[in-house]
Amino acid sequence: MSMIKISSKPLDVHHKGMKALDIAAKLSVDPSAIEAASRDFGHIVKAIPKAVLHPSTPQDIVALIKLSYHYSSVPFGIAAKGHGHSVRGQAMANNGVVIDMKSMKKHPNGTGIRVSTDGLYVDVGGEQLWIDVLNKTLEHGLAPVSWTDYLYLTVGGTLSNAGISGQTFRYGPQISNVLEMDVITGKADLMTCSPKKNSELFHAVLGGLGQFGIVTRARIPLEQAPKRVKWIRVLYSDFSSFTRDQELLISRNGQKDKNALDYLEGSLLMDQGSPNNWRSSFFPHSDHSRIISLITKHRIIYCLEVVKHYDYETENTVDKQMKQILQSLSYMPGFMFQKDVGYEEFLNRVRSGELKLDSQGLWEVPHPWLNLFIPKSQIFDFNNGVFRGIVLERNITTGPVLVYPMNRQKWDDRMSAVIPDEEIFYTVGFLHSGGFNDWEAFENQNKEIMRFCKKSGIMVKQYLPHYSTEDEWVHHFGSKWKVFRRRKHQFDPRMLLSPGQGIFNNN
């Protein structure tokens, strides 16, 4: 298979001395491979590549990029696809080549997952899933400190965005917890980078939406893993009390502060659905009728979720600490629920919900998600106009709606990720699931939310962003746009990488 048609002409993959970097055998045009590379978790966008690369080493990826960068008069787009958990085609390459990063897991000559002997870090292939990182590091009694809610995502994928969850307020996003990386740029250079070595590339790639390079290895710092967690949820009918308590709790955020919480998230319970879903199955069945009555009365109930880690040395004091924390809060009396579970069970909590939905045929469906960052100063306007306005009025919400605060000081502004320009900002996630025939209703709601924010002057930033015009991207990046564009010309001057994002080569 030495001839594959990419762009308008057949391309000879043995062209001009490329025999030494022969990748023909790893480029597939098999219909099943093409179809898999044309879809993602969102099931909204379809973009058909010309071929799929199944690499066994980083050098295979280097060879592919060289082929487009050096030897093609019309370069073809290249997208790295890990678990394909994007929702708007961000990991696709229409008429280009998709790199199936999962193929690297099948070969022992890659990075894999290697825990250092001194226990300070783990070297991880960009194609590895975070659940596998967790399991491997726990064998040594160690673990990273910053996670995503869902662990079946690749390391390279989350580092290309930010990687956020309830730990972010204290430990920062996953991009703030990287020591160094190996990255293949859009010029086919395989470079090791860190805050001190090739730092421009290091900061560009983290949160860079795949625009500057493909992560083939990341070095992640580790700490002693806890054994168990105290896991508590409390309910609020008043948004002001809910946000005040969240902001109070994240104000104690020192990484070495033993009295700080280890996780904090918030969510909405609304009368559009039962509390017996994959996020709120936490609540005892015997309490469902009480909670439903509360939701019926107030239409929206705000749920605060907190976690405190402990081990054998601290198990005698953790209950006292949690009691003191709860005493300072203004949640509704009688609506506190708690669990005591293993650390791994807590981190992998979404998996059981996934398997349940998958068994019902409700996982591989359209996901018209919308994830936003909202400045603290405008979160009340957002609650009134969106949660209590648009969302309740449309009455179509299915799936979790998350809302919880983060601290800007835990983010590194040299990185490409974009956040609001306030010390405290909220992440809001509308994690909708729709049918193949009705997902556009959620999409229309998302558009109405964005129009409301623009009209109301809410300085919202999209997380996992999706825009259709360059002007929108320029507005999204704001003061970072000039640096972002300069870095693109520096590391990917022919605009090869991640065309599905539609930033520089709109599809």
Side-chain angles (χ1 to χ4, degrees):
M1 182 173 52
S2 61
M3 301 286 286
I4 293 175
K5 188 176 181 181
I6 298 178
S7 73
S8 59
K9 298 179 180 179
L11 181 62
D12 185 352
V13 297
H14 296 303
H15 187 53
K16 293 185 181 179
M18 290 296 289
K19 186 75 176 177
L21 293 170
D22 186 7
I23 57 169
K26 293 168 184 173
L27 277 170
S28 173
V29 293
D30 180 79
S32 62
I34 296 292
E35 176 63 24
S38 304
R39 296 285 189 183
D40 61 15
F41 181 68
H43 286 285
I44 294 171
V45 174
K46 186 169 186 177
I48 302 174
K50 293 292 186 182
V52 178
L53 176 69
H54 298 281
S56 57
T57 67
Q59 284 67 37
D60 291 333
I61 300 173
V62 170
L64 177 71
I65 297 176
K66 276 187 176 181
L67 194 60
S68 185
Y69 183 73
H70 289 292
Y71 301 106
S72 299
S73 57
V74 179
F76 52 87
I78 297 171
K81 182 179 181 182
H83 202 239
H85 207 258
S86 56
V87 298
R88 304 283 177 176
Q90 287 96 330
M92 297 181 193
N94 195 48
N95 290 322
V97 177
V98 170
I99 303 172
D100 181 2
M101 297 295 289
K102 297 191 302 296
S103 296
M104 303 267 282
K105 295 180 68 175
K106 304 171 186 176
H107 300 276
N109 48 359
T111 299
I113 303 173
R114 300 197 299 261
V115 179
S116 70
T117 54
D118 60 13
L120 296 178
Y121 62 83
V122 57
D123 280 317
V124 185
E127 75 285 350
Q128 298 293 325
L129 298 179
W130 283 104
I131 181 64
D132 297 324
V133 176
L134 173 64
N135 291 333
K136 187 68 174 180
T137 56
L138 284 179
E139 292 176 6
H140 301 264
L142 302 164
V145 295
S146 186
W147 298 95
T148 51
D149 285 335
Y150 180 61
L151 300 184
Y152 290 76
L153 305 173
T154 60
V155 171
T158 65
L159 296 184
S160 295
N161 289 285
I164 62 173
S165 184
Q167 297 91 1
T168 305
F169 82 92
R170 184 174 178 188
Y171 297 103
Q174 290 181 317
I175 57 174
S176 293
N177 292 273
V178 182
L179 299 176
E180 71 175 32
M181 297 181 291
D182 288 342
V183 173
I184 304 171
T185 72
K187 296 192 289 188
D189 296 324
L190 177 54
M191 302 172 67
T192 298
C193 56
S194 71
K196 293 184 177 180
K197 180 180 182 180
N198 297 314
S199 61
E200 185 82 4
L201 178 62
F202 180 81
H203 293 122
V205 167
L206 293 171
L209 305 177
Q211 291 298 311
F212 311 106
I214 296 171
V215 178
T216 60
R217 178 185 65 92
R219 178 167 289 180
I220 310 296
L222 301 176
E223 292 193 0
Q224 199 72 29
K227 301 297 183 184
R228 299 187 65 80
V229 310
K230 294 289 182 180
W231 187 6
I232 291 175
R233 290 188 182 182
V234 293
L235 303 184
Y236 297 75
S237 61
D238 177 59
F239 188 70
S240 178
S241 298
F242 172 66
T243 54
R244 184 174 61 248
D245 282 357
Q246 287 195 93
E247 290 164 18
L248 171 66
L249 293 173
I250 71 164
S251 67
R252 175 164 275 177
N253 56 54
Q255 290 201 20
K256 302 301 181 183
D257 187 345
K258 296 185 180 299
N259 293 315
L261 290 168
D262 294 291
Y263 167 99
L264 179 147
E265 285 194 5
S267 58
L268 272 56
L269 302 179
M270 290 177 285
D271 59 2
Q272 287 98 323
S274 164
N276 187 25
N277 61 43
W278 67 273
R279 293 276 313 189
S280 53
S281 55
F282 182 96
F283 303 115
H285 193 269
S286 58
D287 287 300
H288 281 195
S289 60
R290 285 201 309 136
I291 297 171
I292 291 172
S293 295
L294 202 63
I295 297 170
T296 301
K297 177 181 178 182
H298 296 281
R299 301 200 69 196
I300 295 180
I301 291 296
Y302 305 96
C303 176
L304 172 61
E305 180 177 25
V306 297
V307 160
K308 182 73 179 171
H309 299 162
Y310 72 96
D311 53 30
Y312 301 129
E313 294 179 359
T314 57
E315 63 180 338
N316 294 326
T317 58
V318 66
D319 285 329
K320 182 179 179 181
Q321 286 179 316
M322 291 302 283
K323 184 178 180 180
Q324 290 176 337
I325 290 170
L326 291 171
Q327 284 177 343
S328 65
L329 306 183
S330 303
Y331 62 92
M332 302 178 74
F335 288 95
M336 188 272 284
F337 309 89
Q338 60 181 321
K339 285 185 177 182
D340 188 312
V341 301
Y343 177 64
E344 183 178 4
E345 179 183 347
F346 168 71
L347 288 181
N348 200 23
R349 61 198 177 279
V350 176
R351 179 63 168 174
S352 60
E354 174 197 351
L355 296 175
K356 178 181 177 182
L357 290 173
D358 194 36
S359 69
Q360 299 170 346
L362 298 175
W363 188 254
E364 296 295 333
V365 297
H367 293 94
W369 287 9
L370 180 65
N371 292 278
L372 306 172
F373 291 146
I374 312 291
K376 170 190 167 180
S377 64
Q378 297 176 309
I379 194 64
F380 284 93
D381 295 334
F382 191 89
N383 176 62
N384 292 329
V386 176
F387 294 151
R388 293 202 165 276
I390 295 170
V391 173
L392 286 184
E393 182 178 330
R394 283 184 172 260
N395 196 33
I396 60 171
T397 297
T398 60
V401 178
L402 307 182
V403 52
Y404 57 94
M406 299 177 180
N407 295 303
R408 195 178 213 283
Q409 61 175 309
K410 300 295 181 176
W411 297 64
D412 188 332
D413 205 43
R414 294 171 295 178
M415 296 175 183
S416 295
V418 178
I419 57 176
D421 192 20
E422 288 190 11
E423 179 49 42
I424 294 176
F425 61 94
Y426 281 77
T427 183
V428 175
F430 296 94
L431 308 185
H432 303 305
S433 298
F436 284 94
N437 297 320
D438 63 2
W439 65 267
E440 289 184 346
F442 298 102
E443 180 73 347
N444 290 334
Q445 177 172 281
N446 292 341
K447 291 177 180 178
E448 186 177 355
I449 290 169
M450 295 304 292
R451 284 194 298 268
F452 170 82
C453 290
K454 184 176 182 179
K455 182 179 178 180
S456 303
I458 296 176
M459 303 301 289
V460 60
K461 295 294 183 183
Q462 280 193 36
Y463 177 60
L464 311 176
H466 166 72
Y467 297 104
S468 56
T469 69
E470 181 176 324
D471 286 345
E472 289 174 314
W473 281 111
V474 171
H475 182 265
H476 169 76
F477 284 105
S479 61
K480 287 190 175 185
W481 173 249
K482 288 184 178 180
V483 172
F484 194 87
R485 184 176 57 188
R486 174 178 58 76
R487 287 170 169 174
K488 184 67 171 178
H489 287 285
Q490 180 179 355
F491 298 116
D492 184 22
R494 298 197 77 180
M495 313 292 178
L496 308 181
L497 301 179
S498 293
Q501 295 280 357
I503 301 176
F504 296 99
N505 31 18
N506 240 295
N507 284 329

